[in-house]
Amino acid sequence: MASHKYENHSQKFLVKSFDYQRQFFHLYSQRLSEMSAYMTKRAEQLWGSKVPIKKLCDLREENEEECIIIGTIYKHQAHKPSILKEISEENQLAPQPARQHYSDPEDKVILEDELQRVRLHGNVRCEELATGIVCAAMGLIEEDGRFDVQELIFYEGGIQKPLPKKGMERLLVLVSGLDQVQSFNYVDSLNLFQHWLRGNVLKAGECNIMRLIIAGNSVKSCEEKRLPSLQTRTHEFKDVVDAMQSLDEWFAAWSSTLAIDVMPGPYDPANYMLPQQPFHSCMFPRAAKHERFQSVTNPYSCSVDDVLILGTSGQNVRDLQRNTALEKPLDALRSTLQWGHLAPTAPDTLACYPYLNSDPFIIKECPHVYFAGNCDEFATLLHEGTQNQRTRLVCVPNFAKTQSIAVLNLESLECYEISFDCKDD
C-alpha cells in the first residue's frame, strides 16, 4: 500500500458546544461581513476603483451615477413553505398548495445589507439565484427605487494552489448511498464492488487507490413511508442496527488495507442539521480499531498529497434544485462553487446549526476536487474559474439506484464511472 500525505481540514465543521437558542440573524450577518471583504476586492479587480462602492442607504434616485452595491440576495418566492400559511390553513383560510419545487418565473430578487434592501432587475437571472448568496452588483438606481443591474459577480471560490504533480497515477474512490437496509435488492452488485476494491488493493505493488470516501446514506438512502399507527415499529430499529453491524464488518475489512472516510448523510442515524457531525466510534466498533478508518463530518474537507478535496452528501445540491430552475445537480454544484458558498440556502430552507461568530460554509480556498453525493446519476465537469482555477466537479451516483461509483485520478483530475450492475438485460 503506497503511503500518501493526508490532512483533515474539517475542524471548522465540528460543533464543540450546542446552543439552539440563538437567532439565525448572526449567521447571515457574519456571512455578509466576511464575504463583503472578498467581494470588495473582486469588484475593484474587475471594475477598477473609479466606480464607487456604496451602501444601500446611500443610494439616491436623483443621482444617476453608476455604482457598485454589495449584499445578500433574498429571493421572494410565493410557493416557498411558510409557517404563517400553515397557520392560516388551521384557521380554514387559503391553503398552501403542496409543492416539491418552489421556483417560479414571478419570483423577485432583492439585495439587502446590514441596514436596507433594494429590488434588483435588469441583467439578473432570477431563476438561477437563491436566498443567501452574497454578490456585488454594478448598475444604477432608478426612479421607482429599483436597482438596474448591468453586471453581477460572485466570489468564485477564492484562490487556488497549483495542482501538485507526483508523476504517478493516484486514485480516489467516491461512493455514496450504499443503503445497507435495502441492500438485498442489489447484493450481487455490492459483492462485486467489494471484490473489485479488494482486488485492486491486494495487487502487489500495483495499488494506486489512495483513499475511499463514502459520501453519506450508507445505512439508508431514502425516507421510509409510514402509515398512521399507534404501534411501535420495532423492526425498523432492528433493520438499522443490523445494517450498522454489516457496515462495520465491511469497513473493518476495507480499512485494514485502505484509508476510508465515512460521512453521514440525510437519512443516516446522525444529526439532521448541517454540518452533520461524525458518527460516534461506538457505531462502528470493529472498524474504529483501524487507524485507516475515520468518521468525518458532512461537509468534509481534506487534502491528499496536497490536492484539496471538498464535498457534501448532497443536501445542499438538492435544496438548491428545489429553490431554483437549475435542473441538473452538476449545474447546482457548479453554482455553489461560483458563489463561494457550500450551502447558501441554509438556514432559509436547509437546516443548519445557528453559528454566532462564523460561517463555516464559505469556500475561502478553491478546491481541486468538489463533489456531491447521492445524485441520481454520475456526472462530472472540469470547471475553470475566472482566476484560472481548475476544479473537478463530481456528482457521485447513489449506489442503491445506479450500482456505480466514481473514480478520480488525483494526478490529472480525470474522473470516470465504474458500474457494478449485475441485472440481466
Side-chain angles (χ1 to χ4, degrees), residues 180-410:
Q180 178 62 20
V181 170
Q182 300 293 327
S183 62
F184 56 85
N185 293 318
Y186 44 90
V187 62
D188 292 336
S189 299
L190 273 174
N191 289 333
L192 185 60
F193 166 61
Q194 292 191 83
H195 290 318
W196 173 85
L197 192 64
R198 184 174 179 81
N200 275 276
V201 171
L202 292 181
K203 287 182 180 177
E206 299 180 9
C207 177
N208 296 323
I209 297 179
M210 296 288 99
R211 205 165 196 90
L212 169 64
I213 297 179
I214 303 174
N217 288 354
S218 301
V219 181
K220 296 173 64 177
S221 66
C222 63
E223 187 174 9
E224 185 174 348
K225 295 182 180 180
R226 298 186 178 184
L227 298 175
S229 174
L230 296 177
Q231 297 180 351
T232 304
R233 302 177 67 177
T234 56
H235 69 276
E236 294 180 9
F237 303 105
K238 184 178 185 304
D239 290 344
V240 171
V241 171
D242 291 343
M244 296 293 294
Q245 291 177 346
S246 297
L247 288 171
D248 187 28
E249 293 178 2
W250 289 0
F251 296 161
W254 300 348
S255 57
S256 61
T257 52
L258 179 66
I260 299 177
D261 302 325
V262 179
M263 302 166 57
Y267 301 110
D268 284 328
N271 64 298
Y272 177 71
M273 288 184 169
L274 290 182
Q276 290 184 287
Q277 300 303 286
F279 289 115
H280 195 278
S281 58
C282 68
M283 301 182 77
F284 302 113
R286 297 180 183 179
K289 296 178 181 179
H290 296 275
E291 294 183 356
R292 294 189 178 96
F293 173 86
Q294 66 171 345
S295 296
V296 297
T297 59
N298 170 38
Y300 174 49
S301 177
C302 71
S303 60
V304 178
D305 284 344
D306 296 320
V307 178
L308 184 59
I309 301 165
L310 176 65
T312 71
S313 294
Q315 294 101 313
N316 57 335
V317 168
R318 284 191 300 277
D319 193 66
L320 192 57
Q321 288 181 273
R322 282 195 290 265
N323 286 279
T324 66
L326 298 170
E327 297 180 356
K328 297 181 179 179
L330 190 62
D331 293 335
L333 185 66
R334 177 167 57 178
S335 294
T336 60
L337 181 64
Q338 291 174 323
W339 299 334
H341 200 276
L342 276 166
T345 56
D348 184 46
T349 54
L350 183 63
C352 80
Y353 180 75
Y355 284 93
L356 184 63
N357 299 314
S358 65
D359 184 352
F361 305 115
I362 298 174
I363 305 176
K364 297 181 179 179
E365 183 178 351
C366 186
H368 299 102
V369 179
Y370 183 35
F371 67 87
N374 299 289
C375 297
D376 290 336
E377 60 182 8
F378 170 79
T380 185
L381 173 73
L382 187 62
H383 172 74
E384 296 187 7
T386 57
Q387 304 176 63
N388 299 319
Q389 308 105 315
R390 296 175 73 250
T391 302
R392 171 58 66 178
L393 306 178
V394 184
C395 289
V396 184
N398 184 311
F399 194 93
K401 294 181 179 180
T402 65
Q403 286 80 62
S404 62
I405 66 171
V407 179
L408 187 141
N409 188 338
L410 298 177

